[in-house]
Amino acid sequence: MKRILFSLFSLLCIASSYAISLNGIEYTIDTLSMFPAGPGSTYYELRLLRADNGLGRLDAFLLAVDTRDPYVQVQQVLGKGKVTGCEVPSSMAKRSTTDKEIYFGGVNGDFFAYEAPVGTTIINGQYALTPFGSGGGRRHGGIDAEGRGVTAYTHTYSMKVTTPANATLDIHHVNDYRDENQLVLFNHHLGTTTGTNAYGTEVKIQLLEGETWKTTGTMKAKVLAKEENVGSMPLAAGYAVLSGHGSMQQALNQLNVGDELTLSFELRLDDELVNVAQFIGGDHYEAMILDDGKVAQSGFWNELHPRTGFGVSQTRDTIFMMVVDGRGVSKGCTTKVMAEILKHHGAWNAVNWDGGGSSCMYIRPFDQMNNGSDGKERAVTNAMFAVAHVPEVDTNVVAIAPYMPNYYLPRYGVAAPQFLGYNKYGVLVETNVTGVKLSCAPEVGEILEDGRFLATGEKGGKLVATWGDVTTELDVRISSTAPIAIRIDTVLCGPQPYKVEVEGTVGNNTVEILSSALTWSSADPTIATVDEEGNVEGKKNGMVVITGKLGTFTDQIVVKVEFPESDPLIWDDFRQASSWELKGSPTSFKPSLSVPEDPNAPVNLMFTYGSGRNPFVQLSKDSLLYSTPDKIRVPLTTNAVFEKVIVMIRANNSTTTDQITFLNPKAGEENVLEIDVKERFGDDAAIYPLRFLALKMIPTSETPKGECYVTLPGIIEVFSEQTTDLEDVTSNQSSTNVKYIQNGNLYIQTVDKIYNILGAEVSK
């Protein structure tokens, strides 16, 4: 693989670059990408590097949502739709999305234990969980009933129900364990039943028409059903259950179907009465990480970890959801540092939600945007999302925005900006808008024939993008001293030319350097030549060094040329039996290769089939395939009945072996197992040389017991994808069989007949 030649600070793609002090240490912030994620919402990908040495790095991902936008709301989702379920955030968003409610961005929420949140949880004004009294002293964040952001250092709640007999009963908690003499409120957020035992009374209630659930205020409800000493009453959306034990059971026993109840709820956030719509718990450290614009200087979580934070602007009209990566290239941060980043971007109050491997920033339709420390999304108990509420399905693009609005390129760097398309409601409906025309001043660069931008200037400037009547601008900065490099060190060159690839880095991505900007030379043109465009053409087998220069930059690539002697080419015909390792399970299969004396006759794999668990026969040979084939074919004929045949190959740029499986080859008939190399491994030149590892065959119980054969003409490489019908060939009057290539296929000609590689006769 290619050695790293880039400096740490070079070639960042930025929207702006400026300094910030985090915990007394100076950092530079570069905005790697910035685009509208949905109505009223902007997504930022930030790279923070220590200004003193560049070795400290933080990758942060921010979603800012203006709740005043008429088409956006903020909504919590529970894992698997209940408080005792876990689900990855991207699945929550996709499951919840409908044509008119589009969950387009969000982050993971509360800490959790036993697949349940640890803090008080509220969804759509309805309590989903009130554990540990009043939430265990945890900090909380969410949205009030008016759609504005809220945070709380402490919160307390009171829930009472008044009966027709004017008895007032205290509700102890919601969707948690019912203890002695307690009254518990259950609803569908718990699951399908209350899960209670038979030692109590349960009353099914429904809010009266026009009433809605709220955390502060009164509600009227009607008794629909009552069960004594049964337990586990069913739960469903639109209904709730009051479940009482002991003294509370006796109180519920006085109720009758049809009775009207008054529910009186109060929720105080830091002693202020608030009607909350969405509420998610955070950590229980001593301090709010950001409180009235002040970052906590003590009492915060002072360890470096991946983080998830929720912030609110001073006017509470904008909320901020942030993830900071950690435990990798991005080092992670303390909650103090996360608060400083949130404050820098406009937050006035903020709380710390669950971090570590749970930290996830989701943006539709790109899925997880950050690099989670687990290597994949972790299933979590809840998440908060920005949701586009729109009146209709609309896929018409009326506005565009670049995925990356500004570029910092090396001179002669090539950029192909990606443009996102939005409908009239601000919903992202197209991730790659085509037909966008770029233009720029000559002193900035030029537009190539394929529409990409080439940075030929020295200082940069504006890049104008036009799509119909819509125009937007991108900023371009150009560095004439930025280091570049040839992408790979060594390449295998076959019948087709290879164009040397030169690259620089752009944030987390790469940027192409125009190959024709370099001066190219070959150390031995008799082996391979290179033209001014960087195209390498092999002349004969061998190895040669190709050198590229641009100003003071010089780099080299080793080119190995391998021309096939024929097309197709039999890479291995199994005649060198000792070069293959044979395995069989059970060992009684005793596989062997039978090599005939006739050089034109194919080799047979022989084995004795009998009973056994997980049977297989395998031929292994760890060896490099020759040159750069387009296809690999494995022809075989057998009297065995195979469930599947597996060809094991590993690409040069991979550490993982690909197991290409062919199902149910036909017994007694010719089978050609064909692998399209580019379709399987991609068209990156770095996949070559391919490494052949094994051919594994798995018989079924339908295979006749006793001696079995597999006729194997060879492992065949095909270098030309185009084939035509067999042309007429004049018969060779010699009695000697002749092999020849015709239209990309191998044939064997006898005195009066022509056979294909499987031994089947074909027409002249």
Side-chain angles (χ1 to χ4, degrees):
M1 297 301 290
K2 184 64 204 173
R3 60 193 180 277
I4 301 298
L5 297 180
F6 309 110
S7 65
L8 283 170
F9 56 87
S10 66
L11 308 181
L12 291 178
C13 167
I14 62 171
S16 55
S17 183
Y18 47 89
I20 182 177
S21 178
L22 301 176
N23 200 28
I25 299 174
E26 290 295 315
Y27 284 78
T28 59
I29 295 184
D30 292 320
T31 305
L32 304 185
S33 62
M34 179 180 70
F35 59 85
S41 306
T42 304
Y43 167 77
Y44 304 82
E45 183 177 339
L46 309 170
R47 171 72 50 76
L48 295 90
L49 295 174
R50 282 187 61 151
D52 53 358
N53 56 22
L55 298 179
R57 169 174 154 183
L58 293 176
D59 293 338
F61 308 82
L62 176 67
L63 179 64
V65 182
D66 186 346
T67 62
R68 294 169 297 181
D69 189 289
Y71 298 114
V72 72
Q73 294 180 14
V74 179
Q75 176 75 46
Q76 180 185 176
V77 177
L78 293 174
K80 297 182 180 178
K82 56 184 181 178
V83 291
T84 55
C86 285
E87 185 179 4
V88 298
S90 62
S91 176
M92 294 185 201
K94 294 170 185 177
R95 172 175 57 81
S96 303
T97 291
T98 65
D99 288 343
K100 298 181 181 181
E101 293 186 2
I102 303 163
Y103 288 66
F104 64 82
V107 297
N108 63 292
D110 204 347
F111 299 81
F112 55 97
Y114 306 105
E115 295 195 341
V118 298
T120 298
T121 306
I122 299 169
I123 299 179
N124 297 331
Q126 187 175 27
Y127 285 104
L129 184 66
T130 58
F132 311 116
S134 294
R138 292 181 175 271
R139 319 300 159 232
H140 280 68
I143 304 295
D144 67 15
E146 285 71 46
R148 300 191 302 169
V150 294
T151 58
Y153 180 78
T154 62
H155 73 282
T156 58
Y157 56 80
S158 168
M159 293 177 284
K160 298 180 183 296
V161 56
T162 302
T163 71
N166 289 324
T168 299
L169 310 176
D170 287 323
I171 299 174
H172 291 83
H173 45 252
V174 177
N175 287 338
D176 208 345
Y177 178 74
R178 186 191 67 192
D179 209 344
E180 293 183 5
N181 300 314
Q182 284 189 343
L183 178 63
V184 178
L185 178 68
F186 291 101
N187 56 45
H188 72 283
H189 296 301
L190 177 65
T192 57
T193 74
T194 61
T196 55
N197 58 32
Y199 303 104
T201 294
E202 296 190 320
V203 173
K204 181 179 180 181
I205 65 172
Q206 182 181 33
L207 295 184
L208 299 185
E209 186 175 353
E211 297 277 3
T212 58
W213 288 101
K214 55 180 71 77
T215 60
T216 294
T218 60
M219 297 151 281
K220 297 289 187 180
K222 183 178 182 179
V223 175
L224 300 181
K226 184 176 72 171
E227 292 181 347
E228 298 180 25
N229 302 317
V230 176
S232 293
M233 181 174 271
L235 297 171
Y239 305 95
V241 171
L242 291 169
S243 180
H245 176 275
S247 60
M248 289 299 175
Q249 177 183 16
Q250 296 175 17
L252 292 183
N253 286 342
Q254 306 306 310
L255 298 178
N256 297 302
V257 173
D259 283 350
E260 287 193 4
L261 308 176
T262 300
L263 302 172
S264 302
F265 288 5
E266 287 187 354
L267 176 63
R268 294 183 180 271
L269 307 186
D270 300 328
D271 294 328
E272 179 183 351
L273 278 173
V274 182
N275 189 20
V276 171
Q278 317 291 336
F279 211 43
I280 289 179
D283 69 36
H284 52 62
Y285 279 74
E286 178 184 342
M288 280 277 289
I289 64 171
L290 180 61
D291 188 15
D292 287 341
K294 298 180 179 63
V295 175
Q297 301 301 310
S298 62
F300 57 87
W301 197 334
N302 194 23
E303 295 175 351
L304 302 182
H305 292 294
R307 299 289 180 190
T308 299
F310 178 85
V312 177
S313 66
Q314 187 172 9
T315 59
R316 300 199 290 121
D317 293 323
T318 303
I319 67 157
F320 304 90
M321 292 182 273
M322 173 174 278
V323 164
V324 179
D325 274 348
R327 301 174 186 171
V329 177
S330 179
K331 304 303 181 183
C333 65
T334 66
T335 57
K336 176 185 178 184
V337 166
M338 181 173 66
E340 290 174 327
I341 300 173
L342 282 165
K343 179 181 178 181
H344 180 81
H345 287 85
W348 189 249
N349 293 284
V351 296
N352 173 56
W353 282 349
D354 190 15
S358 297
S359 287
C360 175
M361 170 66 73
Y362 168 82
I363 298 294
R364 177 185 181 271
F366 304 105
D367 287 346
Q368 185 175 14
M369 304 299 284
N370 66 301
N371 297 306
S373 63
D374 282 0
K376 60 181 180 179
E377 279 187 81
R378 176 185 289 179
V380 295
T381 192
N382 58 6
M384 192 75 88
F385 293 96
V387 184
H389 282 256
V390 294
E392 61 182 337
V393 177
D394 181 10
T395 59
N396 296 314
V397 175
V398 299
I400 63 171
Y403 185 90
M404 297 185 295
N406 298 283
Y407 287 87
Y408 183 21
L409 301 172
R411 197 172 186 192
Y412 301 108
V414 177
Q418 175 184 355
F419 291 92
L420 310 176
Y422 302 84
N423 66 16
K424 60 186 176 183
Y425 303 113
V427 176
L428 175 57
V429 295
E430 177 60 59
T431 59
N432 190 15
V433 177
T434 59
V436 179
K437 304 295 184 183
L438 300 177
S439 61
C440 64
E443 60 269 21
V444 177
E446 60 183 82
I447 309 303
L448 300 175
E449 290 184 2
D450 60 9
R452 296 180 298 165
F453 167 72
L454 173 63
T456 56
E458 295 184 355
K459 295 182 179 180
K462 296 292 184 183
L463 182 62
V464 180
T466 303
W467 185 73
D469 297 331
V470 179
T471 299
T472 187
E473 291 184 342
L474 300 82
D475 286 322
V476 176
R477 291 167 52 193
I478 300 173
S479 171
S480 59
T481 59
I484 57 177
I486 295 174
R487 185 173 71 90
I488 52 180
D489 285 327
T490 304
V491 70
L492 186 60
C493 187
Q496 301 299 321
Y498 167 72
K499 186 169 186 176
V500 183
E501 301 163 88
V502 186
E503 292 182 339
T505 58
V506 179
N508 292 331
N509 306 307
T510 58
V511 55
E512 175 189 346
I513 306 300
L514 195 69
S515 297
S516 60
L518 282 71
T519 301
W520 297 101
S521 63
S522 170
D524 188 347
T526 66
I527 296 176
T529 60
V530 59
D531 65 17
E532 61 184 12
E533 301 289 333
N535 296 306
V536 176
E537 184 175 356
K539 297 300 181 180
K540 67 178 182 180
N541 287 357
M543 297 184 71
V544 63
V545 174
I546 303 295
T547 302
K549 295 183 178 181
L550 178 60
T552 59
F553 161 77
T554 300
D555 200 7
Q556 297 177 324
I557 181 173
V558 177
V559 176
K560 184 177 183 180
V561 180
E562 289 184 350
F563 280 110
E565 296 177 357
S566 61
D567 185 9
L569 170 71
I570 299 180
W571 170 72
D572 194 302
D573 60 5
F574 299 98
R575 302 189 76 84
Q576 298 296 324
S578 61
S579 67
W580 289 89
E581 178 187 359
L582 276 67
K583 296 180 181 179
S585 177
T587 55
S588 59
F589 280 11
K590 297 180 180 179
S592 63
L593 288 173
S594 175
V595 181
E597 293 184 3
D598 184 350
N600 296 310
V603 172
N604 284 301
L605 169 68
M606 311 298 297
F607 67 95
T608 303
Y609 180 74
S611 60
R613 297 180 60 186
N614 302 317
F616 72 87
V617 179
Q618 180 170 312
L619 298 91
S620 301
K621 185 174 186 176
D622 189 343
S623 184
L624 298 178
L625 289 167
Y626 188 76
S627 192
T628 59
D630 294 320
K631 295 180 179 179
I632 300 166
R633 293 175 181 160
V634 184
L636 61 85
T637 305
T638 180
N639 67 337
V641 179
F642 291 127
E643 174 190 344
K644 55 188 173 183
V645 177
I646 303 170
V647 182
M648 303 180 196
I649 297 176
R650 185 166 67 241
N652 184 57
N653 60 349
S654 175
T655 59
T656 303
T657 297
D658 266 51
Q659 299 194 26
I660 304 102
T661 300
F662 300 89
L663 299 175
N664 305 314
K666 295 180 179 179
E669 298 183 21
E670 60 182 31
N671 300 272
V672 179
L673 316 181
E674 183 173 272
I675 301 166
D676 187 305
V677 173
K678 292 182 180 179
E679 182 179 291
R680 185 74 192 192
F681 300 100
D683 58 2
D684 188 344
I687 68 173
Y688 297 109
L690 298 170
R691 183 174 294 276
F692 186 95
L693 296 173
L695 177 65
K696 184 175 183 178
M697 291 159 276
I698 300 175
T700 72
S701 58
E702 297 178 15
T703 298
K705 289 186 170 55
E707 187 173 75
C708 294
Y709 71 87
V710 182
T711 302
L712 297 168
I715 308 295
I716 300 171
E717 298 183 60
V718 181
F719 295 88
S720 173
E721 294 186 354
Q722 295 183 349
T723 58
T724 60
D725 293 334
L726 178 64
E727 295 178 1
D728 186 31
V729 178
T730 302
S731 251
N732 189 323
Q733 299 303 313
S734 168
S735 61
T736 304
N737 295 341
V738 176
K739 294 181 182 179
Y740 67 94
I741 304 296
Q742 187 73 47
N743 299 315
N745 292 289
L746 175 67
Y747 296 95
I748 300 172
Q749 179 179 324
T750 64
V751 174
D752 57 357
K753 294 181 179 180
I754 298 176
Y755 300 89
N756 65 15
I757 57 175
L758 296 173
E761 184 178 350
V762 296
S763 301
K764 290 185 178 180

